[in-house]
Amino acid sequence: MSVTLEKANRSFTVLMRDGTVHGVLLTPATQEDRDLLYFDAYWGDCLDLHVVTAVDGFDAHTQAVAIHDRETAIEDYMHRIGINYEAARTVYQDCRNWARALGAEGRASWLAHGLKTYMPLKHFALIEVMREHRESTIA
């Protein structure tokens, strides 16, 4: 008799500090338990919490690190240009839309363009879209 384990998506809460994952937990079922976890982790241990939907803890870990990297890139752009977070997030979304619209060949040609040195947020969005499409990110 064969057994097939199907992995269903579940909600995970990932505890992070400065880009380092300190724990991956199943998200508590009740709002009261979620609030208690948030309070203890954020105010007690100074950890950031990211709630993600994933098939396992490793996938949740990977998604949380990607979220942190994205937030860091947006905040870096915000501080470099001197705009608020919402405006920087809008620029990031525009960069992602641009990268998606390029297609695989267009993304590959822009990767070798030197974009990273003078437009780091656009380069970050380009790399992120390429990874989503499982394209090579080596110029």
Side-chain angles (χ1 to χ4, degrees):
M1 176 162 93
S2 66
V3 176
T4 304
L5 296 176
E6 234 181 272
K7 291 195 172 191
N9 284 333
R10 299 188 312 199
S11 180
F12 289 89
T13 300
V14 183
L15 311 171
M16 296 182 76
R17 182 183 301 129
D18 298 327
T20 302
V21 174
H22 288 270
V24 178
L25 310 168
L26 285 172
T27 301
T30 67
Q31 185 62 46
E32 183 179 346
D33 289 341
R34 288 190 293 273
D35 291 343
L36 184 60
L37 173 62
Y38 175 82
F39 184 83
D40 287 345
Y42 187 79
W43 295 108
D45 297 324
C46 299
L47 297 171
D48 295 319
L49 284 79
H50 296 288
V51 177
V52 298
T53 302
V55 293
D56 58 22
F58 179 78
D59 186 29
H61 177 282
T62 303
Q63 287 184 41
V65 170
I67 290 168
H68 176 268
D69 290 348
R70 184 178 313 118
E71 288 174 350
T72 301
I74 292 169
E75 288 171 4
D76 177 65
Y77 181 80
M78 176 182 79
H79 295 301
R80 284 177 190 244
I81 305 300
I83 58 177
N84 67 25
Y85 184 84
E86 290 305 314
R89 178 111 177 120
T90 300
V91 171
Y92 163 76
Q93 289 296 337
D94 291 345
C95 291
R96 278 190 59 85
N97 292 337
W98 165 80
R100 277 194 218 111
L102 286 175
E105 289 180 19
R107 286 189 289 269
S109 69
W110 271 99
L111 186 61
H113 187 271
L115 194 62
K116 185 177 186 178
T117 56
Y118 66 94
M119 295 184 80
L121 185 63
K122 193 168 227 175
H123 180 264
F124 178 83
L126 178 69
I127 294 295
E128 200 172 45
V129 169
M130 291 177 80
R131 286 183 179 148
E132 287 173 8
H133 288 82
R134 302 193 191 294
E135 299 167 2
S136 174
T137 57
I138 299 170

mmCIF file of all heavy atoms in Angstrom, residues 3 5-6 17 26 36 38 48 50 52 54 80-81 84-85 96 109 111 123-124 128 131-132 135:
data_model
loop_
_atom_site.group_PDB
_atom_site.id
_atom_site.type_symbol
_atom_site.label_atom_id
_atom_site.label_comp_id
_atom_site.label_asym_id
_atom_site.label_seq_id
_atom_site.Cartn_x
_atom_site.Cartn_y
_atom_site.Cartn_z
ATOM 1 N N VAL A 3 1.549 5.338 0.271
ATOM 2 C CA VAL A 3 1.019 6.493 0.975
ATOM 3 C C VAL A 3 1.531 7.743 0.276
ATOM 4 O O VAL A 3 2.725 7.886 0.044
ATOM 5 C CB VAL A 3 1.473 6.504 2.454
ATOM 6 C CG1 VAL A 3 1.004 7.757 3.152
ATOM 7 C CG2 VAL A 3 0.968 5.267 3.156
ATOM 8 N N LEU A 5 1.666 11.762 0.612
ATOM 9 C CA LEU A 5 1.443 12.907 1.490
ATOM 10 C C LEU A 5 1.325 14.155 0.630
ATOM 11 O O LEU A 5 2.258 14.530 -0.052
ATOM 12 C CB LEU A 5 2.592 13.061 2.473
ATOM 13 C CG LEU A 5 2.783 11.916 3.454
ATOM 14 C CD1 LEU A 5 4.019 12.165 4.305
ATOM 15 C CD2 LEU A 5 1.568 11.776 4.344
ATOM 16 N N GLU A 6 0.171 14.735 0.662
ATOM 17 C CA GLU A 6 -0.027 15.961 -0.080
ATOM 18 C C GLU A 6 0.255 17.123 0.842
ATOM 19 O O GLU A 6 -0.226 17.164 1.973
ATOM 20 C CB GLU A 6 -1.469 16.046 -0.590
ATOM 21 C CG GLU A 6 -1.521 16.283 -2.075
ATOM 22 C CD GLU A 6 -2.951 16.377 -2.537
ATOM 23 O OE1 GLU A 6 -3.514 15.328 -2.840
ATOM 24 O OE2 GLU A 6 -3.456 17.502 -2.579
ATOM 25 N N ARG A 17 14.844 38.977 13.185
ATOM 26 C CA ARG A 17 15.503 40.193 13.659
ATOM 27 C C ARG A 17 16.653 40.493 12.715
ATOM 28 O O ARG A 17 17.519 39.650 12.489
ATOM 29 C CB ARG A 17 16.038 40.034 15.082
ATOM 30 C CG ARG A 17 16.692 41.333 15.588
ATOM 31 C CD ARG A 17 17.313 41.228 16.967
ATOM 32 N NE ARG A 17 16.344 40.852 17.976
ATOM 33 C CZ ARG A 17 16.540 39.848 18.833
ATOM 34 N NH1 ARG A 17 17.631 39.131 18.792
ATOM 35 N NH2 ARG A 17 15.615 39.573 19.727
ATOM 36 N N LEU A 26 3.789 27.516 13.450
ATOM 37 C CA LEU A 26 2.457 27.530 12.852
ATOM 38 C C LEU A 26 1.704 28.704 13.477
ATOM 39 O O LEU A 26 1.796 28.940 14.686
ATOM 40 C CB LEU A 26 1.718 26.228 13.134
ATOM 41 C CG LEU A 26 2.172 25.021 12.320
ATOM 42 C CD1 LEU A 26 1.485 23.765 12.836
ATOM 43 C CD2 LEU A 26 1.881 25.224 10.852
ATOM 44 N N LEU A 36 -1.227 37.504 21.453
ATOM 45 C CA LEU A 36 -0.277 37.201 22.520
ATOM 46 C C LEU A 36 1.110 36.897 21.940
ATOM 47 O O LEU A 36 2.121 37.381 22.454
ATOM 48 C CB LEU A 36 -0.777 36.015 23.353
ATOM 49 C CG LEU A 36 0.051 35.644 24.567
ATOM 50 C CD1 LEU A 36 0.136 36.812 25.548
ATOM 51 C CD2 LEU A 36 -0.537 34.423 25.252
ATOM 52 N N TYR A 38 2.269 37.971 19.053
ATOM 53 C CA TYR A 38 2.794 39.240 18.552
ATOM 54 C C TYR A 38 3.359 40.077 19.697
ATOM 55 O O TYR A 38 4.467 40.596 19.606
ATOM 56 C CB TYR A 38 1.697 40.020 17.821
ATOM 57 C CG TYR A 38 2.145 41.387 17.391
ATOM 58 C CD1 TYR A 38 2.885 41.562 16.226
ATOM 59 C CD2 TYR A 38 1.867 42.510 18.165
ATOM 60 C CE1 TYR A 38 3.319 42.814 15.842
ATOM 61 C CE2 TYR A 38 2.302 43.764 17.791
ATOM 62 C CZ TYR A 38 3.022 43.922 16.626
ATOM 63 O OH TYR A 38 3.464 45.157 16.259
ATOM 64 N N ASP A 48 10.646 40.883 14.642
ATOM 65 C CA ASP A 48 9.639 41.204 13.635
ATOM 66 C C ASP A 48 8.910 39.920 13.285
ATOM 67 O O ASP A 48 9.512 38.841 13.249
ATOM 68 C CB ASP A 48 10.289 41.775 12.377
ATOM 69 C CG ASP A 48 10.966 43.112 12.630
ATOM 70 O OD1 ASP A 48 10.374 43.934 13.358
ATOM 71 O OD2 ASP A 48 12.067 43.322 12.110
ATOM 72 N N HIS A 50 6.468 37.926 10.475
ATOM 73 C CA HIS A 50 5.927 37.872 9.122
ATOM 74 C C HIS A 50 5.018 36.649 9.045
ATOM 75 O O HIS A 50 5.459 35.533 9.324
ATOM 76 C CB HIS A 50 7.038 37.749 8.075
ATOM 77 C CG HIS A 50 7.944 38.940 8.034
ATOM 78 N ND1 HIS A 50 7.554 40.153 7.519
ATOM 79 C CD2 HIS A 50 9.214 39.107 8.462
ATOM 80 C CE1 HIS A 50 8.550 41.011 7.617
ATOM 81 N NE2 HIS A 50 9.564 40.399 8.189
ATOM 82 N N VAL A 52 3.096 34.180 6.702
ATOM 83 C CA VAL A 52 3.123 33.740 5.312
ATOM 84 C C VAL A 52 2.323 32.444 5.175
ATOM 85 O O VAL A 52 2.120 31.726 6.146
ATOM 86 C CB VAL A 52 4.573 33.515 4.808
ATOM 87 C CG1 VAL A 52 5.371 34.801 4.858
ATOM 88 C CG2 VAL A 52 5.274 32.434 5.608
ATOM 89 N N ALA A 54 2.520 28.879 3.419
ATOM 90 C CA ALA A 54 3.560 28.034 2.839
ATOM 91 C C ALA A 54 3.214 26.564 3.045
ATOM 92 O O ALA A 54 2.337 26.228 3.844
ATOM 93 C CB ALA A 54 4.903 28.357 3.495
ATOM 94 N N ARG A 80 17.298 57.111 0.190
ATOM 95 C CA ARG A 80 18.181 57.701 -0.826
ATOM 96 C C ARG A 80 17.517 58.863 -1.542
ATOM 97 O O ARG A 80 18.144 59.872 -1.815
ATOM 98 C CB ARG A 80 18.569 56.661 -1.877
ATOM 99 C CG ARG A 80 19.587 55.671 -1.438
ATOM 100 C CD ARG A 80 19.807 54.664 -2.560
ATOM 101 N NE ARG A 80 20.607 53.561 -2.120
ATOM 102 C CZ ARG A 80 21.800 53.289 -2.613
ATOM 103 N NH1 ARG A 80 22.302 54.025 -3.559
ATOM 104 N NH2 ARG A 80 22.472 52.270 -2.164
ATOM 105 N N ILE A 81 16.246 58.686 -1.883
ATOM 106 C CA ILE A 81 15.532 59.681 -2.678
ATOM 107 C C ILE A 81 14.875 60.741 -1.796
ATOM 108 O O ILE A 81 14.633 61.856 -2.228
ATOM 109 C CB ILE A 81 14.467 58.994 -3.578
ATOM 110 C CG1 ILE A 81 15.118 57.907 -4.433
ATOM 111 C CG2 ILE A 81 13.732 59.986 -4.451
ATOM 112 C CD1 ILE A 81 16.200 58.407 -5.363
ATOM 113 N N ASN A 84 8.424 59.288 1.041
ATOM 114 C CA ASN A 84 7.800 58.452 2.069
ATOM 115 C C ASN A 84 7.697 57.001 1.584
ATOM 116 O O ASN A 84 7.918 56.701 0.410
ATOM 117 C CB ASN A 84 6.442 59.008 2.501
ATOM 118 C CG ASN A 84 5.400 58.941 1.412
ATOM 119 O OD1 ASN A 84 5.456 58.120 0.501
ATOM 120 N ND2 ASN A 84 4.415 59.813 1.500
ATOM 121 N N TYR A 85 7.359 56.130 2.518
ATOM 122 C CA TYR A 85 7.329 54.691 2.221
ATOM 123 C C TYR A 85 6.320 54.356 1.127
ATOM 124 O O TYR A 85 6.609 53.546 0.244
ATOM 125 C CB TYR A 85 7.024 53.885 3.494
ATOM 126 C CG TYR A 85 7.075 52.401 3.262
ATOM 127 C CD1 TYR A 85 8.288 51.725 3.300
ATOM 128 C CD2 TYR A 85 5.922 51.682 2.988
ATOM 129 C CE1 TYR A 85 8.349 50.365 3.075
ATOM 130 C CE2 TYR A 85 5.976 50.310 2.761
ATOM 131 C CZ TYR A 85 7.194 49.663 2.801
ATOM 132 O OH TYR A 85 7.249 48.318 2.561
ATOM 133 N N ARG A 96 8.403 46.358 -10.740
ATOM 134 C CA ARG A 96 7.994 44.949 -10.923
ATOM 135 C C ARG A 96 7.144 44.801 -12.182
ATOM 136 O O ARG A 96 7.310 43.845 -12.938
ATOM 137 C CB ARG A 96 7.220 44.449 -9.706
ATOM 138 C CG ARG A 96 8.126 44.007 -8.590
ATOM 139 C CD ARG A 96 7.352 43.302 -7.498
ATOM 140 N NE ARG A 96 6.626 42.140 -7.928
ATOM 141 C CZ ARG A 96 7.138 40.910 -8.025
ATOM 142 N NH1 ARG A 96 8.390 40.697 -7.747
ATOM 143 N NH2 ARG A 96 6.381 39.906 -8.393
ATOM 144 N N SER A 109 18.567 40.699 -21.035
ATOM 145 C CA SER A 109 19.385 41.777 -21.600
ATOM 146 C C SER A 109 19.576 42.911 -20.601
ATOM 147 O O SER A 109 20.651 43.497 -20.519
ATOM 148 C CB SER A 109 18.774 42.303 -22.900
ATOM 149 O OG SER A 109 17.579 42.994 -22.644
ATOM 150 N N LEU A 111 19.675 42.559 -17.405
ATOM 151 C CA LEU A 111 20.507 42.080 -16.310
ATOM 152 C C LEU A 111 21.967 42.446 -16.537
ATOM 153 O O LEU A 111 22.689 42.793 -15.611
ATOM 154 C CB LEU A 111 20.356 40.568 -16.146
ATOM 155 C CG LEU A 111 21.046 39.942 -14.958
ATOM 156 C CD1 LEU A 111 20.494 40.525 -13.665
ATOM 157 C CD2 LEU A 111 20.874 38.449 -14.967
ATOM 158 N N HIS A 123 16.802 47.152 -10.245
ATOM 159 C CA HIS A 123 17.575 45.914 -10.363
ATOM 160 C C HIS A 123 17.021 44.844 -9.426
ATOM 161 O O HIS A 123 16.877 43.681 -9.804
ATOM 162 C CB HIS A 123 19.046 46.188 -10.052
ATOM 163 C CG HIS A 123 19.907 44.979 -10.152
ATOM 164 N ND1 HIS A 123 20.237 44.218 -9.058
ATOM 165 C CD2 HIS A 123 20.481 44.382 -11.220
ATOM 166 C CE1 HIS A 123 20.994 43.208 -9.445
ATOM 167 N NE2 HIS A 123 21.157 43.282 -10.748
ATOM 168 N N PHE A 124 16.689 45.231 -8.189
ATOM 169 C CA PHE A 124 16.127 44.285 -7.227
ATOM 170 C C PHE A 124 14.822 43.696 -7.759
ATOM 171 O O PHE A 124 14.606 42.484 -7.702
ATOM 172 C CB PHE A 124 15.886 44.974 -5.881
ATOM 173 C CG PHE A 124 15.271 44.064 -4.864
ATOM 174 C CD1 PHE A 124 16.056 43.203 -4.124
ATOM 175 C CD2 PHE A 124 13.900 44.046 -4.673
ATOM 176 C CE1 PHE A 124 15.487 42.345 -3.202
ATOM 177 C CE2 PHE A 124 13.333 43.193 -3.748
ATOM 178 C CZ PHE A 124 14.122 42.347 -3.009
ATOM 179 N N GLU A 128 14.024 39.799 -8.665
ATOM 180 C CA GLU A 128 12.905 39.134 -8.002
ATOM 181 C C GLU A 128 11.969 38.480 -9.025
ATOM 182 O O GLU A 128 11.559 37.328 -8.863
ATOM 183 C CB GLU A 128 12.152 40.167 -7.162
ATOM 184 C CG GLU A 128 11.298 39.585 -6.093
ATOM 185 C CD GLU A 128 10.722 40.636 -5.182
ATOM 186 O OE1 GLU A 128 10.230 41.674 -5.666
ATOM 187 O OE2 GLU A 128 10.756 40.407 -3.970
ATOM 188 N N ARG A 131 13.647 35.417 -10.595
ATOM 189 C CA ARG A 131 13.614 34.256 -9.700
ATOM 190 C C ARG A 131 12.235 33.608 -9.693
ATOM 191 O O ARG A 131 12.120 32.395 -9.646
ATOM 192 C CB ARG A 131 14.018 34.655 -8.288
ATOM 193 C CG ARG A 131 15.493 34.905 -8.164
ATOM 194 C CD ARG A 131 15.910 35.221 -6.757
ATOM 195 N NE ARG A 131 17.342 35.428 -6.689
ATOM 196 C CZ ARG A 131 17.929 36.247 -5.845
ATOM 197 N NH1 ARG A 131 17.215 36.926 -4.971
ATOM 198 N NH2 ARG A 131 19.228 36.387 -5.852
ATOM 199 N N GLU A 132 11.186 34.428 -9.735
ATOM 200 C CA GLU A 132 9.828 33.885 -9.785
ATOM 201 C C GLU A 132 9.608 33.040 -11.040
ATOM 202 O O GLU A 132 8.868 32.069 -11.006
ATOM 203 C CB GLU A 132 8.806 35.023 -9.763
ATOM 204 C CG GLU A 132 8.667 35.688 -8.426
ATOM 205 C CD GLU A 132 7.779 36.916 -8.473
ATOM 206 O OE1 GLU A 132 7.145 37.174 -9.525
ATOM 207 O OE2 GLU A 132 7.722 37.625 -7.458
ATOM 208 N N GLU A 135 14.404 31.994 -13.939
ATOM 209 C CA GLU A 135 15.357 32.379 -14.971
ATOM 210 C C GLU A 135 16.723 32.600 -14.317
ATOM 211 O O GLU A 135 16.818 32.934 -13.141
ATOM 212 C CB GLU A 135 14.913 33.681 -15.655
ATOM 213 C CG GLU A 135 13.565 33.559 -16.356
ATOM 214 C CD GLU A 135 12.969 34.889 -16.762
ATOM 215 O OE1 GLU A 135 13.595 35.932 -16.555
ATOM 216 O OE2 GLU A 135 11.832 34.855 -17.262
#
